[in-house]
Amino acid sequence: MQTIKGTIHCKYNSNFIQSIKMWKLGGNIFALLFVMIFLSSQALAQKGSRITTVVIDAGHGGKDPGAMGKHSKEKDITLAVALKTGQYIEKYLPDVKVIYTRKDDRFVPLYKRAEIANKNKADFFISIHCNANKSSGPFGAETYVMGLHKSKANLDVAMMENASIMFEDNAGTTYDGFDPSLPQSYIQFTLFQSEYLDQSLQLAYDIQRQFKDRVGRRDRGVHQAGFLVLWKTAMPGVLVELGYLSNPTEEKFLLSEKGQVYLASAIYRAFKEYKQEFEKQNKVVAKAETKTTRPDLKYRVQFYTNKKNIPLTNRRFKKVSDVQVYQQNGMYKYTSGEFSTPDSANVHLKTVKKAGFKDAFVVVFKEGKRITLKEAKQLK
Ligand SMILES: [Zn+2]
């Protein structure tokens, strides 16, 4: 593929950050309006209280075979597992509409897959893939959400999957010059902040737990990386790597009817669990948000404290989203997420605890300064 120069800007998020900067600097009324409109649309997006449409995306297809095993092509396994997953959802969750990006062996460009999801206003996007490695050693399943990679291994997976656009005509203009094979193309994802990150992570963890506990797969964890197909979708989304076609034992499992049924039912069960939990929590949040909120109060989930200032890119923060640090009494304190109500923060607290930070708790800031929950209550 030819090398295309130029960078993409993350449409919504860089604008958003820009606006906040403008707002802070000059009190620009238009920027303030923009932020307010953005935030209210964001609140609306999250208030969809039910999950009724899901897009199941079978990776690759047609002239794009994806990863190659000794006896298999990724595109065939992703299609089989995607169709089975969709069938389970259709059968056991009849209130959910399942949309497939492909139902047979055909080539569908990445941007088209995202377009299908966006046009149908899907509530979730699940992309199904298989991994491969130069060595036959690695095996196991992992699930990705959109974001900046924290290891070269994760970047490699995104590069491999994004290489699909090499089969597309006009990829240069479609993706604004994004070159999937250049590490510097991925730097832009530093700015990526998804309003759907928590939801995406939630399903990702649910899927991995199902893979591990119910299908006996090796759990390679939940990661973030810059996948174009997730980047272009305007909803929560995950990209599942079912296993390694380069590992003979795993390839055999992935090719088997039994293996495909197990993996598909695991994704289905995780989705069902996620949907039920989401709909339950949403009722709570919707109720809480009808109370008046104070714009100067922000709630975060504190999960870690250290005497040293640890970079936010550190491995230990890999499993939590939107990490920030503040200093108090000579200690560095690390938080995840930022919410306008304690109830929303409490919902996020569950996710952080699930990620392994059992002692996490909700803290509150007034105009950036830590206060106690009691003080916050008295302000209302
Ligand atoms: Zn793939």
Side-chain angles (χ1 to χ4, degrees):
M1 166 175 179
Q2 68 183 108
T3 305
I4 314 150
K5 287 209 178 96
T7 49
I8 318 190
H9 296 283
C10 184
K11 280 174 290 182
Y12 310 106
N13 298 296
S14 63
N15 282 347
F16 179 49
I17 290 163
Q18 201 82 38
S19 302
I20 290 196
K21 275 186 195 153
M22 285 163 73
W23 177 28
K24 279 187 180 158
L25 282 175
N28 181 316
I29 189 75
F30 293 106
L32 175 63
L33 271 175
F34 177 86
V35 171
M36 284 169 73
I37 292 164
F38 182 91
L39 288 177
S40 61
S41 68
Q42 204 180 17
L44 276 178
Q46 289 171 342
K47 264 186 202 155
S49 56
R50 293 185 57 230
I51 290 176
T52 52
T53 308
V54 62
V55 170
I56 307 285
D57 175 47
H60 313 277
K63 60 186 173 183
D64 170 16
M68 304 285 277
K70 251 198 182 126
H71 310 284
S72 59
K73 290 183 182 129
E74 181 184 353
K75 65 171 184 175
D76 300 323
I77 293 167
T78 61
L79 181 61
V81 174
L83 292 177
K84 286 181 166 75
T85 305
Q87 281 158 14
Y88 280 122
I89 296 173
E90 283 160 350
K91 191 170 167 191
Y92 298 113
L93 296 171
D95 62 324
V96 177
K97 187 174 161 198
V98 180
I99 292 159
Y100 302 86
T101 52
R102 67 181 181 100
K103 288 186 93 168
D104 50 26
D105 183 22
R106 74 176 66 193
F107 179 73
V108 185
L110 291 186
Y111 75 90
K112 266 263 158 66
R113 294 167 191 258
E115 225 171 71
I116 292 169
N118 294 345
K119 271 192 189 148
N120 284 286
K121 298 195 166 48
D123 299 304
F124 223 105
F125 183 82
I126 302 175
S127 192
I128 298 176
H129 290 260
C130 299
N131 224 328
N133 195 284
K134 274 178 239 145
S135 145
S136 64
F139 67 97
E142 58 196 14
T143 300
Y144 283 87
V145 303
M146 180 62 205
L148 181 71
H149 57 274
K150 285 176 184 164
S151 77
K152 172 149 189 319
N154 298 346
L155 172 63
D156 287 346
V157 175
M159 281 181 161
M160 207 164 65
E161 299 297 4
N162 291 335
S164 281
I165 67 171
M166 288 158 72
F167 293 94
E168 296 180 24
D169 303 323
N170 308 319
T173 43
T174 309
Y175 302 96
D176 299 334
F178 183 91
D179 184 340
S181 63
L182 289 178
Q184 55 265 43
S185 298
Y186 293 78
I187 292 169
Q188 56 165 314
F189 297 126
T190 327
L191 279 179
F192 183 84
Q193 286 186 326
S194 169
E195 62 195 276
Y196 307 113
L197 182 61
D198 288 345
Q199 288 164 257
S200 306
L201 282 170
Q202 191 69 63
L203 181 64
Y205 284 117
D206 288 343
I207 290 173
Q208 282 305 120
R209 203 175 50 245
Q210 288 286 341
F211 280 165
K212 184 172 138 237
D213 296 346
R214 305 288 289 269
V215 198
R217 308 320 293 162
R218 179 177 180 197
D219 177 16
R220 301 183 67 93
V222 170
H223 308 286
Q224 279 183 284
F227 292 91
L228 290 177
V229 74
L230 295 181
W231 183 62
K232 292 263 176 186
T233 47
M235 67 213 57
V238 294
L239 188 142
V240 180
E241 294 283 356
L242 299 170
Y244 282 80
L245 294 177
S246 42
N247 178 282
T249 317
E250 196 149 71
E251 185 191 25
K252 213 172 148 194
F253 180 78
L254 291 166
L255 267 172
S256 69
E257 173 73 14
K258 186 183 139 194
Q260 293 172 0
V261 164
Y262 276 26
L263 289 163
S265 61
I267 300 171
Y268 150 72
R269 274 197 305 268
F271 175 73
K272 184 178 84 171
E273 206 174 277
Y274 169 83
K275 173 178 153 65
Q276 286 169 346
E277 182 69 9
F278 176 86
E279 289 173 357
K280 199 172 88 193
Q281 286 179 1
N282 232 275
K283 274 188 197 155
V284 179
V285 173
K287 225 169 133 190
E289 278 174 0
T290 54
K291 291 179 205 159
T292 46
T293 54
R294 286 183 61 114
D296 55 338
L297 294 185
K298 293 285 174 232
Y299 298 83
R300 303 189 211 160
V301 174
Q302 183 166 317
F303 63 94
Y304 185 72
T305 301
N306 202 306
K307 268 187 214 156
K308 286 185 208 148
N309 189 4
I310 296 163
L312 300 183
T313 47
N314 191 282
R315 287 201 72 209
R316 72 188 83 201
F317 303 141
K318 214 166 66 175
K319 286 195 169 169
V320 283
S321 57
D322 188 20
V323 178
Q324 299 186 62
V325 62
Y326 72 97
Q327 257 182 296
Q328 194 188 36
N329 306 330
M331 299 291 278
Y332 291 90
K333 300 183 174 181
Y334 297 82
T335 63
S336 168
E338 191 167 281
F339 306 88
S340 46
T341 66
D343 302 81
S344 307
N346 275 314
V347 170
H348 183 61
L349 175 64
K350 284 188 192 169
T351 310
V352 175
K353 283 191 172 177
K354 264 192 196 169
F357 299 100
K358 303 262 182 297
D359 302 326
F361 56 96
V362 173
V363 288
V364 56
F365 294 82
K366 184 174 185 290
E367 283 152 354
K369 198 173 168 285
R370 168 86 192 270
I371 58 171
T372 65
L373 288 168
K374 203 176 157 195
E375 285 167 337
K377 256 187 197 159
Q378 281 164 353
L379 287 170
K380 298 217 166 173

